[in-house]
């Protein structure tokens, strides 16, 4: 296994302006600079406060169901010739890693004296997660969602309503996720005194990429010590996670970045911002973006709505540039095959997003990932939400 070029990178704090190398930053209107600075200060002091940390840890344990286990996959390992361990974020309350982020931001909002959460959502998963946290903390909640997505994701709209949130349909632009993000930011500008913007991944202006990675770091920190228990003190050879905005991958990588582990992010082939993007500025950050020849941000397409984002968190763009992590792609058909294989061999139906990481594992086992390697895969969520869609696709 090649030793990563920048072995020793830390995933610590970004520069004072929120930069990871040339990526990141805070590209927002003047009216939002103060809000971002207030949030950065509040998060920094909360994160350094044992009282806040203790309360957050307690909620992750008693409400979200942490720690999640690491599961050894004996039958899948036999099939692939590599030893496969899964970090089971699918077993959390609400069924994905998103709960780690929203419980942290909800607690922070309450600490800051805000009484209202706004958020964007594409497929509805982050909207449901935010509405969950809002209910937990007794906060008002408004979720922005493109009209196209509102129509496609009726059930999630109903879930958000049940949880007491208002869903506002966004009828501008392509009427999908990137338009919902713009509207949520517009709301935040107008209401910042009372409102916290609960952003859903390691993207957007500083401090979000850093803050959301820190709130997801629990995945990697737990996994590292759980792996050492299973592997007699050793680390896995390879760590795999799917990358949409990149939060489950960032949280996972943070636990292993100071080791010699081969860190691999798996993007959807139709949303491969690192694999096929170019540097640009969108949604308050500089990162790798899918753009057309005129510099317009293009829509991402994949079977998994959670990976349908044309950008990626700036820290991933940086980790790719310095060579500390590598990024690969998985296509729709191999993702469906992977979902079926894990279901049949282990009795675990994964969400479509982490099925991308499994698809790469299946393709690379015995090749880029040598036979006999030990591989940890973050299973970011469970497959229930995708069952109807997968049924159509496999029919
Ligand atoms: C939202 C989601 C993702 C993509 O988000 P990241 O920020 O890239 O982690 C991945 N897996 C599941 C199950 C999700 O719900």
């Amino acid at each position: 296994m090649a030793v990563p070029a920048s072995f020793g990178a830390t995933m610590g704090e970004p520069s004072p302006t929120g930069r990871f190398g040339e990526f990141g930053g805070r590209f927002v209107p003047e009216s939002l600079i103060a809000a971002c600075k207030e949030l950065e200060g509040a998060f920094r002091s909360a994160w350094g406060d044992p009282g806040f940390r203790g309360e957050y840890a307690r909620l992750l344990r008693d409400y979200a169901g942490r720690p999640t286990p690491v599961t050894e996959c004996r039958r899948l390992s036999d099939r692939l010739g590599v030893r496969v361990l899964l970090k089971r974020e699918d077993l959390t309350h609400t069924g994905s890693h998103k709960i780690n982020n929203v419980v942290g931001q909800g607690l922070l909002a309450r600490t800051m004296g805000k009484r209202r959460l706004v958020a964007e959502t594409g497929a509805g998963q982050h909207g449901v997660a935010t509405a969950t946290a809002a209910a937990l903390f007794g906060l008002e909640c408004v979720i922005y969602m493109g009209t196209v997505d509102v129509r496609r994701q009726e059930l999630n709209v109903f879930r958000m309503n049940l949880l007491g949130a208002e869903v506002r349909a966004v009828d501008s632009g392509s009427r999908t996720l990137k338009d919902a993000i713009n509207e949520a930011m517009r709301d935040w500008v107008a209401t910042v005194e009372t409102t916290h913007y609960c952003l859903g991944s390691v993207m957007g202006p500083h401090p979000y990429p850093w803050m959301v990675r820190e709130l997801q770091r629990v995945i990697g920190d737990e996994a590292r010590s759980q792996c050492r228990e299973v592997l007699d003190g050793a680390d896995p050879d390879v760590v795999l996670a799917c990358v949409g905005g990149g939060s489950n991958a960032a949280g996972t990588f943070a636990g292993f970045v100071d080791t010699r582990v081969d860190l691999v992010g798996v993007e959807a082939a139709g949303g491969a911002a690192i694999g096929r993007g170019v540097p640009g500025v969108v949604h308050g950050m500089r990162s790798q973006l899918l753009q057309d020849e005129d510099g317009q941000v293009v829509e991402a397409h994949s079977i998994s709505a959670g990976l349908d984002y044309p950008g990626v968190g700036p820290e991933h763009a940086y980790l790719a540039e310095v060579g500390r992590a590598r990024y690969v792609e998985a296509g729709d058909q191999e993702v469906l095959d992977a979902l079926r294989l894990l279901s049949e061999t282990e009795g675990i139906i994964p969400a479509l997003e982490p099925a991308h990481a499994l698809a790469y594992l299946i393709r690379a086992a015995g090749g880029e990932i040598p036979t006999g390697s030990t591989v940890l895969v973050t299973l970011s969520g469970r497959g229930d939400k995708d069952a109807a869609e997968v049924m159509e696709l496999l029919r």
Side-chain angles (χ1 to χ4, degrees), residues 29 31-32 35 183-193:
S31 49
L32 270 185
E183 272 320 300
M185 285 203 178
R186 220 162 277 154
D187 182 316
W188 193 35
V189 173
T191 60
V192 66
E193 298 270 291

Side-chain angles (χ1 to χ4, degrees), residues 96-98 125 200-201 242-249 306-307 351 353-354 380-381 385:
S96 89
H97 69 292
K98 287 189 169 72
Q125 301 305 315
S201 191
C242 64
V243 175
S247 66
N248 87 88
L307 303 186
E353 293 89 352
S380 55
K385 71 181 176 64

Side-chain angles (χ1 to χ4, degrees), residues 89-90 95-98 125-126 200-203 212 216 219 242-250 304-308 312 316 350-355 378-382 385-386:
E89 296 303 293
D90 59 315
S96 89
H97 69 292
K98 287 189 169 72
Q125 301 305 315
H126 177 58
S201 191
V202 285
M203 30 176 238
V212 177
Q216 294 291 2
I219 304 172
C242 64
V243 175
S247 66
N248 87 88
S304 93
L307 303 186
D308 263 2
V312 65
H316 287 293
L352 283 165
E353 293 89 352
T378 294
L379 199 73
S380 55
R382 61 178 179 235
K385 71 181 176 64
D386 300 323

Side-chain angles (χ1 to χ4, degrees), residues 1-51:
M1 188 90 21
V3 175
S6 74
F7 167 72
T10 57
M11 295 184 81
E13 266 198 54
S15 79
T17 54
R19 295 288 185 142
F20 303 92
E22 64 165 303
F23 300 106
R26 187 179 272 160
F27 295 87
V28 291
E30 195 57 40
S31 49
L32 270 185
I33 298 277
C36 288
K37 286 189 173 163
E38 182 202 11
L39 179 60
E40 180 193 344
F43 177 68
R44 180 170 286 108
S45 59
W47 209 230
D49 170 13

Side-chain angles (χ1 to χ4, degrees), residues 61 99 127 199 234 244 259-260 267 270-271 273 275 303 306 356:
R61 186 190 65 201
I99 194 74
L199 216 154
T259 69
R260 287 169 187 264
E267 300 187 284
I303 51 172
H356 284 70

Side-chain angles (χ1 to χ4, degrees), residues 270-310:
I274 293 187
R276 303 178 191 206
V278 293
V281 172
V282 75
H283 297 139
M285 64 181 177
R286 181 175 174 79
S287 192
Q288 293 289 116
L289 292 176
L290 294 175
Q291 291 177 338
D292 65 18
E293 287 145 26
D294 304 323
Q296 294 295 313
V297 176
V298 299
E299 292 285 299
H301 289 289
S302 90
I303 51 172
S304 93
L307 303 186
D308 263 2
Y309 177 65

